Amino acid sequence: MTFRGAFERDIREFANLDAELVRAVESEDDDAIETILQERFYHRPEMYYAPDKLIISYGVPAPTSAFVYNALGKRPLPTREEVIADTVDSIAARFNLRYADQKWLSATAELVSDDPQALSDFLSGDTSVC
């Protein structure tokens, strides 16, 4: 079984045993989902699920709650392109960016989401990747 398949099976089993997680999913409380998984689900020796492993396995830089909603059938996992577009739109609106600036931001986001080394370099302050 793949990592993704094992995660989806195990999160469904965990949800069957944890009413608090079910309530958080039903109310779409992303913060509660993140907290519950950090405290009671992630980092178990059996499979050692972790947010970064889910991102790599699914190929989507999504928050924990998105993976849970998808595995429990609440809503589909967003695509990498949707996550990038939403992020760029949010930043552009927050900082009132012009169209050309949005294009640069989008190109940068796509680059660092495609290349783990570029992301690591970018996060460490090396903006020469752009």
Side-chain angles (χ1 to χ4, degrees), residues 7-26 36-37 40-41 68 71-73:
F7 167 75
E8 291 174 7
R9 179 202 61 216
D10 290 350
I11 196 69
R12 283 190 294 269
E13 289 175 6
F14 181 71
N16 287 334
L17 300 173
D18 195 300
E20 188 177 353
L21 176 63
V22 172
R23 283 192 300 276
V25 169
E26 288 173 355
I36 292 166
L37 265 62
R40 301 192 294 253
F41 184 78
V68 173
L72 297 179

Side-chain angles (χ1 to χ4, degrees), residues 2-3 8 11 32 44 50 88 129:
T2 66
F3 182 82
E8 291 174 7
I11 196 69
R44 300 288 182 237
V88 168
V129 297

Side-chain angles (χ1 to χ4, degrees), residues 22-101:
V22 172
R23 283 192 300 276
V25 169
E26 288 173 355
S27 65
E28 297 188 9
D29 186 345
D30 295 354
D31 292 333
I33 292 170
E34 181 74 35
T35 300
I36 292 166
L37 265 62
Q38 285 292 343
E39 291 176 354
R40 301 192 294 253
F41 184 78
Y42 283 154
H43 312 295
R44 300 288 182 237
E46 298 80 32
M47 189 54 122
Y48 195 76
Y49 298 112
D52 57 333
K53 287 185 175 186
L54 291 172
I55 289 169
I56 291 167
S57 176
Y58 284 86
V60 177
T64 293
S65 56
F67 297 110
V68 173
Y69 294 140
N70 179 64
L72 297 179
K74 179 85 172 168
R75 66 172 98 135
L77 191 65
T79 65
R80 184 182 67 78
E81 292 77 16
E82 290 171 333
V83 172
I84 291 170
D86 287 347
T87 302
V88 168
D89 289 346
S90 177
I91 293 170
R94 182 174 181 193
F95 295 102
N96 197 26
L97 298 181
R98 296 172 300 169
Y99 179 76
D101 296 330

